[in-house]
């Protein structure tokens, strides 16, 4: 059949090159030609290609592109894939991507024809999480997409005829150091030949890159070994280049090169291994924008002595390859034990068999020889008594520690291996967990290994987590011997015990795990946290630990003022925008979420589990991570925002409510006459009142019935969040404004200036919604999250909320048609040192706010302020003079506010775009006596704080 196709295609069978290579080149030409099918639907197709199309029923993958940026071990990966349906009818396209199980998906988009769908990360309902638990109780099958350390992401869509679809997947992970190397892996399994296939990995390590290597592609059966293959040459078409701190690796095989690797398009895993320069000190502490991450991996330390008990499953299910490979691995492991180590072996099925009763034996040639004989004679039989085996191993190790004068700094551990679930003795997982924890009593660590598909992964994982260990899972058809040896190599050389990393309590908060029972050679300890005092120029770090000879105490002060070292924007090769992300903050969030998930897994208290779940879910939503408590929901994209231009466009109040596009993504109908458009705009134009907070910030309160205005300043601190309007209990509306700092102008009397960098508007009636507005973008969340650019005009409506954007000028927010706020956008093309892009906040309609509303502006909306009579007499004495002369500053000018007397002076103040002046009575000293309490009573704890009274905090 193949020969017949070959002749029909017109190829000579006596070609000088191998047939496979000629066919591959032909396919490459055909694939590259067919990928233009969207633009050339009517082109003539050769008869051979038509025949090939009839054979091919699935869409073709025209492009598979992976771009990764690794910054200080934190990896951002973007996978883009384009599929073309060149057929005459709609066809299903399936995008599959294996990603590391430790990674978090952070974004996913699909474009089919001219429609775009984006993935929104939303929280799972509790019932969905319960359903996941139920599904997880079933042992995974080989077809569910799971492999050792990897999970399958899958998306399928139908592509209309002669159209194409594009998938873009983003995920993030913190690389773990194992056996002295960081390993970054990209799965390349398109399952078909691809016309344009490219992988590009950029690595930035300020500590310095050492031992960079790109081994050959690895297939699934080799996965997880952690060892370099015998052939160390990179895959074909791989280009590696690096300087001291920056590396760039590309893999760009042609179709011909792909066929040489695998004709079915399953190429394997593209791997990069590297390490960084390090020394025996407190480690590498990196700080950026108020967050820090601390990498600690000392080298050149003598290993600690080990007391190890191997607990091996010898039940009937281990028959054949599994037990054979386990024995092979143990022979090698026993040979690697050091003279100062002690060990014992337990085999278990429905019976428990201990090699050396009631003791651990030293490592001697005779003991190693006898242990190998014992392992060789193990035969598979009976059931699986997991609980009994662990109880026996724990008692053996506890008794040895108690009865012998062992080195206090030695490391004791159990290595437990099984291929099944408990079938004999105690079979309830919760009882096995509690029994194991009670038996170990935090005296040593338990490391668990699962082989095959019948293992209770959750049980093994939780046993390891609760007892300071680690877990690994290997597939039945994999090379278990090399996996077991590789895992033992990770934990076989303990260098330190009881490691504790401390920072001053007044300087840091929300620090991840900082105590570790053991540090193994080739691994790494990672701690991350937030800085409380961002103005400090140093962070004090202390590391205490024990090694085989002495206790270690390391101290140092890490300089914080190193933005140029850790800020990676503008680095060559990293121009894809990742530099704008605070990678250290994301590493902190990644670690924190992982710890919350582990803590929940270990907890038996349902209330605590719910609390940890909500905390992890909230954080995952904040950082857009897909976790067990969050999920991706695909939504059709409405308005496509464009990033605003870096220029100052003077904000104006004209054209507010300009209607160009609606949220639903429908463009304004073509052909609308300008006259009609102008009439519609005039109807929607909202008059801005003088009641506002703008500039430094300067506050203005307008009292129309009294025919005068009052103004005051608030000299807050950068980072302060001011409560402007607080009516959460009645109308459900709260407005907060966050300050940003800037130096004072030359010869100014102030130490610094402050502006509003963010305005947050929250509403919970009739449904929950919030807006977060900055000079660049607007985030609207009313159950569906939408991000809009301030640089593009649009109008957004929901049942109770309307947001109107006038490009680079202003944003109008209308709530239930009775409350309206206008936010002016102040941006600069070339700002002076004392200028910052900022916002101004104006209240244009307050009818819907209750009489109990409060806040720096809200407390005056339904109250009148009186000017005392003696002040008015002063103005009557100047009859005949102009108004400005009549109201010159006078110590006797006094306002009466809620029974309080407030001295004021007459001022002129610029508002709106800085062009309009108003006259007002000015209250000094941060509005002392004018406002209720002091301005510090109006500080919110976070942008979404809806506290309505002094000292109370609520969150929407």
């Amino acid at each position: 059949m193949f020969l017949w196709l070959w002749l029909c295609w017109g190829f000579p069978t006596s070609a000088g090159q191998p047939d496979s290579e000629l066919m591959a080149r032909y396919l490459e030409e055909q694939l590259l030609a067919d990928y233009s099918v969207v633009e050339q639907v009517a082109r003539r197709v050769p008869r051979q290609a038509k025949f090939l199309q009839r054979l091919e029923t699935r869409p073709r993958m025209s492009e598979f592109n992976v771009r990764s940026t690794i910054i200080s071990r934190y990896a951002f990966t973007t996978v883009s894939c384009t599929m073309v349906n060149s057929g005459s009818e709609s066809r299903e396209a399936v995008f599959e991507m294996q990603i590391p199980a430790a990674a978090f998906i952070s974004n996913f988009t699909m474009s089919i024809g001219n429609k775009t769908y984006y993935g929104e990360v939303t929280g799972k309902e509790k019932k969905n999480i319960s359903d996941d638990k139920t599904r997880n109780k079933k042992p995974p099958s080989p077809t569910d997409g799971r492999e050792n350390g990897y999970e399958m992401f899958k998306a399928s869509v139908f592509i209309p005829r002669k159209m194409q679809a594009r998938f873009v997947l983003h995920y993030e992970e913190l690389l773990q150091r194992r056996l002295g190397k960081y390993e970054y892996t990209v799965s390349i399994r398109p399952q078909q030949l691809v016309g344009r296939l490219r992988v590009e990995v950029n690595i930035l390590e300020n500590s310095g890159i050492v031992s960079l290597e790109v081994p050959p592609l690895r297939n699934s059966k080799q996965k997880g070994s952690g060892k370099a293959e015998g052939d160390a040459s990179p895959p074909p078409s791989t280009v590696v280049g690096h300087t001291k701190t920056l590396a760039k690796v590309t893999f760009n095989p042609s179709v011909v090169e792909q066929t040489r690797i695998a004709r079915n398009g399953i190429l394997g895993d593209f791997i990069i291994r590297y390490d960084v320069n390090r020394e025996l000190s407190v480690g590498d502490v990196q700080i950026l924008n108020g967050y820090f991450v601390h990498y600690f991996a000392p080298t050149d330390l003598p290993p600690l002595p080990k007391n190890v008990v191997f607990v091996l499953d010898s039940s009937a299910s281990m028959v054949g390859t599994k037990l054979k490979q386990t024995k092979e691995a143990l022979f090698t492991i026993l040979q690697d034990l050091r003279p100062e180590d002690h060990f014992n072996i337990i085999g278990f099925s429905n019976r428990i068999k201990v090699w050396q009763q009631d003791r651990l034996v030293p490592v001697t040639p005779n003991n190693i020889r006898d242990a190998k004989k014992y392992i060789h004679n193990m035969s598979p039989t009976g059931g699986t008594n997991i609980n009994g085996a662990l109880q026996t191993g724990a008692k053996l190790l506890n008794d040895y520690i108690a009865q012998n004068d062992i080195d206090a700094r030695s490391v004791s551990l159990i290595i437990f291996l099984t291929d099944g679930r408990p079938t004999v003795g105690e079979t309830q997982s919760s009882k096995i967990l509690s029994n194991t924890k009670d038996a170990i009593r935090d005296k040593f660590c338990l490391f668990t290994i699962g082989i095959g598909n019948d293992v209770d992964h959750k049980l093994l994982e939780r046993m390891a987590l609760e007892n300071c260990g680690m877990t690994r899972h290997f597939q039945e058809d994999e090379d278990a011997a090399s996996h077991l040896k590789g895992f033992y190599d990770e934990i076989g050389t303990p260098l330190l015990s009881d490691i504790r990393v401390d920072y001053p309590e007044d300087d840091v908060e929300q620090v991840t795990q900082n105590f570790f029972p053991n540090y193994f050679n080739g691994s790494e300890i990672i701690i991350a946290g937030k800085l409380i005092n961002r103005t400090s120029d140093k962070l004090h770090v202390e590391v205490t630990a024990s090694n085989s000879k002495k206790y270690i105490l390391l101290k140092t002060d890490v300089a914080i003022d190193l933005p140029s070292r850790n800020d990676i924007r503008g680095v060559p090769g990293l121009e894809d925008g990742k530099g704008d992300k605070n990678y250290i903050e994301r590493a902190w969030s990644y670690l924190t979420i992982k710890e919350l998930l582990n803590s929940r897994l270990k907890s038996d208290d349902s209330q605590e589990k719910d609390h940890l779940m909500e905390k992890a879910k909230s954080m995952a939503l904040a950082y857009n991570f897909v976790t067990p408590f969050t999920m991706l929901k695909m939504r059709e994209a409405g308005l496509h925002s464009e990033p605003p231009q870096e220029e100052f466009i003077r904000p104006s109040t004209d054209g507010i409510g300009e209607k160009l596009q609606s949220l639903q993504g429908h463009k304004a109908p073509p052909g609308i006459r300008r006259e009609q458009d102008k009439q519609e705009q005039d109807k929607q134009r909202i008059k801005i009142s003088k009641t506002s907070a703008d500039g430094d910030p300067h506050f203005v309160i307008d009292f129309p019935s009294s025919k005068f205005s009052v103004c005051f300043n608030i000299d807050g601190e950068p980072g302060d969040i001011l409560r402007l309007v607080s009516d959460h209990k009645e109308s459900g509306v709260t407005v907060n404004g966050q300050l940003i700092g800037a130096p004072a102008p030359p010869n100014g009397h102030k130490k610094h200036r402050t502006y509003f960098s963010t305005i947050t508007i929250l509403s919970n009636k009739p449904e929950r919604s919030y807006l977060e507005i900055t000079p660049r973008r607007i985030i609207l969340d009313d159950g569906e999250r939408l991000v809009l650019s301030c640089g593009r005009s649009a109008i957004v409506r929901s049942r109770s909320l309307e947001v109107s954007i006038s490009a680079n000028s202003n944003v109008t927010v209308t709530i239930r048609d009775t409350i309206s706020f206008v936010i002016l956008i102040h941006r600069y093309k070339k700002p002076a040192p004392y200028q910052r892009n900022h916002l101004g906040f104006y209240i244009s309609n307050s009818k819907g706010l209750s009489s109990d509303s409060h806040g720096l502006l809200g407390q005056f909306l339904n109250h009148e302020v009186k000017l005392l009579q003696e002040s008015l007499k002063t103005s009557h004495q100047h009859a005949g003079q102009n108004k400005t002369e009549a109201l010159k500053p006078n110590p006797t000018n006094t306002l009466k506010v809620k029974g309080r007397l407030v001295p004021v002076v007459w001022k002129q103040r610029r508002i709106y775009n800085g062009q309009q002046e108003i006259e007002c009575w000015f209250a000094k000293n941060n509005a002392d006596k004018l406002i209720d309490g002091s301005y510090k009573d109006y500080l919110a704890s976070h942008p979404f704080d809806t506290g309505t009274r002094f000292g109370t905090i609520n969150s929407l």
Side-chain angles (χ1 to χ4, degrees), residues 47 99 148 163 228 247 280 436 448 610 641 753 797 813 819:
R47 184 170 56 182
I99 65 172
N148 178 32
M163 299 288 279
L280 179 58
T436 303
T448 60
D610 287 344
S641 302
R753 306 181 107 190
R797 290 193 186 98
V813 180
I819 304 170

Side-chain angles (χ1 to χ4, degrees), residues 407-427:
D407 191 323
R409 300 178 184 86
S410 64
V411 172
S412 300
L413 51 103
I414 291 178
I415 298 177
F416 176 82
L417 180 147
T418 183
D419 77 327
R421 295 165 178 264
T423 60
V424 177
E426 181 59 67
T427 58

Side-chain angles (χ1 to χ4, degrees), residues 620-788:
L621 291 173
Y623 287 91
N624 219 56
F625 285 146
V626 178
T627 69
F629 307 135
T630 55
M631 60 183 179
L632 272 178
K633 279 190 174 180
M634 299 307 296
R635 304 185 187 279
E636 184 173 353
L639 183 65
H640 295 278
S641 302
E642 296 177 354
Q645 298 295 318
E646 290 293 337
E647 59 183 5
F648 174 70
I649 301 177
R650 181 169 293 160
S652 69
T653 58
D654 296 332
I656 293 177
E658 178 182 10
K659 184 177 181 181
L660 293 183
Q661 292 178 326
S662 71
L663 223 202
Q664 291 74 22
H666 303 304
K667 295 183 179 179
I672 296 180
R673 290 174 297 179
R674 291 187 178 181
E675 292 79 13
Q676 293 176 334
D677 208 23
K678 185 176 184 299
Q679 290 174 5
E680 181 69 16
Q681 290 180 18
D682 289 339
K683 290 179 182 179
Q684 295 186 0
R685 183 172 291 129
I686 299 171
K687 183 180 178 182
I688 300 180
S689 75
K690 300 173 185 177
T691 300
S692 61
D694 204 343
D696 196 3
H698 304 314
F699 290 76
V700 177
I701 313 294
D702 190 32
F703 298 98
S705 60
S706 302
K707 298 183 179 179
F708 65 80
S709 299
V710 177
C711 52
F712 59 91
N713 294 346
I714 292 294
D715 295 324
E717 295 295 325
D720 282 353
I721 301 171
L722 304 181
R723 189 172 290 112
L724 305 178
V725 177
S726 179
D727 195 26
H728 183 71
K729 287 189 176 180
E730 300 300 327
S731 68
V733 174
T734 302
V735 182
N736 297 325
Q738 185 163 6
L739 298 178
I740 189 174
N747 304 318
H749 65 282
K750 291 188 175 183
K751 293 182 179 179
H752 61 256
R753 306 181 107 190
T754 52
Y755 305 93
F756 286 122
S757 62
T758 306
I759 299 292
T760 309
I761 302 173
L762 307 102
S763 175
N764 70 340
K765 293 181 181 180
E767 63 267 332
R768 172 194 177 279
S769 59
Y770 75 81
L771 277 161
E772 183 179 307
I773 304 168
T774 71
R776 286 180 166 273
R777 69 176 189 178
I778 301 163
I779 299 176
L780 168 62
D781 191 331
D782 57 355
E784 296 184 355
R785 190 171 187 268
L786 181 71
V787 180
L788 302 170

Side-chain angles (χ1 to χ4, degrees), residues 315-323 380 419:
S315 61
S317 59
M318 288 286 289
V319 69
T321 305
K322 284 187 284 189
L323 187 58
D419 77 327

Side-chain angles (χ1 to χ4, degrees), residues 829-850:
K829 185 177 181 181
K830 294 180 179 179
Y834 54 86
Q835 291 175 321
R836 295 288 185 271
N837 292 339
H838 64 282
L839 303 172
F841 175 75
Y842 293 78
I843 298 176
S844 59
N845 185 0
S846 61
K847 290 179 181 178
L849 295 172
S850 75

Side-chain angles (χ1 to χ4, degrees), residues 353-379:
K353 299 178 182 179
V354 182
W355 172 50
Q356 297 288 337
Q357 288 294 330
D358 303 326
R359 64 178 182 145
L360 270 68
V361 299
V363 175
T364 65
N366 288 341
N367 284 338
I368 295 296
R369 181 197 62 207
D370 292 345
K372 288 182 177 180
K373 286 182 181 178
Y374 174 78
I375 293 170
H376 176 74
N377 292 328
M378 289 176 65
S379 58

